[in-house]
Amino acid sequence: MSAALSTRFTETFGIRHPIVQGGMQWVGRAELAAAVSEAGGLGMITALTQPTPADLAAEIERARRLTDQPFGVNLTILPAITPPPYDEYRRVIVDSGVTIVETAGSNPEPHMEMFRAHNIKIIHKCTSVRHALKAEAVGVDAVSIDGFECAGHPGEDDIPGLVLIPAATERLTVPVLASGGFADARGLVAALALGADGINMGSRFMCTAESPIHDKVKQAIVDGDERGTQLIFRQLRNTARVAGNAVSREVVEILQGGGTFPDIASLVAGSRGRKVFDDGDLDAGIWTVGMVQGLIHDVPTCGELIERIVTEAVELIDNRLRRATAVPL
């Protein structure tokens, strides 16, 4: 690696490059997280991808066999009829010696006491400035601010990153990661210009050699463009951005016609989405990807991707931006 970019985020979290692999259900497994961390970024294992806390403990150990660099665990807290045993997942994270956690979804405050007591650094991912300020107030070490372009849940405010990121960075004092719509050096440099201390990428890391999803899904991302996603659950005030396919279109049609969640529950079951990633059947269920797929054109290794982003970002800063100097009027 010929270049590095140091920011408040890299200094606080002890990593080489200000690039984070966000937690992704069914995707954030040991091989991907370890590859990102080994390349100098910060990889994330997704806790709830693992069916039990014991499975999470085994996955953490598997990642440790693949890298000696820091990696984190994502713990997403969402409403559920039968909530996962969050306290048991928290205990595994602590007992496994993990030092970085990414929380997302609901308020992270109920999880703070245990993590703080064990010197675990916390990144909270949110979609609005007001929620970011609340997270800062309860003591998180960094915030990942997710613009409307993102995959998964963009919130209900529909604020794109170009506005949301500087709106957050001018009010927060903790390091900020820019999330939603990032895939390359141009995005990293833009994020830094907007006041962020790094970027959080999901869809881009889905489309890498170490990503544990079917090659047909990776090829669909490469072949797709920025128009190829769809917003579902808008009527339920639980908006999600997913790949546009037969299932997502049916979900939208049912809800627009006055349907309710029980009418679509079988269509949006997580087991169906996992089948997409496992088997490569792109219409087996809903699966998440961001508008940024329009900027993804290959399937590199994580090492190649991170080196490319950092090297090109340094070149952009040193060359193109320096040439854009002010001239007297």
Side-chain angles (χ1 to χ4, degrees), residues 21 32-33 41-42 44 47 54 58 100 131 137 145 168 180 184 200 202 207 225 247 270 282 304 307 310:
Q21 168 242 317
L32 177 59
L42 179 60
M44 288 284 173
I100 300 169
H131 293 149
I145 196 79
D184 57 26
N200 185 320
C207 211
D225 63 26
V247 181
L282 300 176
E304 291 166 345
E307 180 170 10
V310 174

Side-chain angles (χ1 to χ4, degrees), residues 130-305:
R130 64 188 183 278
H131 293 149
L133 290 169
K134 174 64 175 177
E136 181 179 67
V138 302
V140 302
D141 298 281
V143 164
S144 180
I145 196 79
D146 225 355
F148 183 60
E149 305 93 330
C150 72
H153 294 277
E156 305 304 318
D157 296 334
D158 297 1
I159 309 298
L162 193 61
V163 173
L164 184 61
I165 296 162
T169 59
E170 71 181 16
R171 297 186 63 188
L172 293 164
T173 59
V174 296
V176 173
L177 294 171
S179 182
F182 294 94
D184 57 26
R186 296 169 298 180
L188 175 55
V189 173
L192 297 176
L194 293 172
D197 302 284
I199 56 175
N200 185 320
M201 302 193 303
S203 299
R204 176 64 272 198
F205 280 122
M206 283 175 64
C207 211
T208 56
E210 295 90 348
S211 169
I213 63 176
H214 200 282
D215 286 343
K216 287 184 179 179
V217 181
K218 298 178 188 181
Q219 191 60 48
I221 295 171
V222 170
D223 293 340
D225 63 26
E226 63 278 6
R227 301 168 299 166
T229 69
Q230 189 154 30
L231 295 173
I232 62 174
F233 304 155
R234 299 237 81 179
Q235 295 83 354
L236 306 178
R237 298 287 296 171
N238 187 31
T239 300
R241 186 181 300 282
V242 300
N245 66 3
V247 181
S248 68
R249 288 188 287 272
E250 185 175 356
V251 169
V252 169
E253 182 179 350
I254 290 170
L255 292 178
Q256 286 181 340
T260 61
F261 184 75
D263 299 312
I264 60 169
S266 63
L267 294 171
V268 302
S271 58
R272 293 185 59 163
R274 182 173 183 175
K275 186 175 178 62
V276 174
F277 290 147
D278 288 348
D279 299 343
D281 180 353
L282 300 176
D283 285 317
I286 59 168
W287 56 282
T288 53
V289 71
M291 298 172 77
V292 75
Q293 70 176 350
L295 303 178
I296 297 172
H297 308 304
D298 62 354
V299 186
T301 67
C302 291
E304 291 166 345
L305 176 63

Side-chain angles (χ1 to χ4, degrees), residues 47-61 73 75 84-93 95-96:
L48 299 185
T49 291
Q50 300 304 316
T52 69
D55 290 312
L56 174 60
E59 193 73 358
I60 291 170
E61 288 309 307
V73 172
L75 186 63
Y86 288 117
D87 55 342
E88 296 178 30
Y89 280 100
R90 280 198 308 264
R91 174 51 60 188
V92 164
I93 290 168
D95 291 347
S96 297

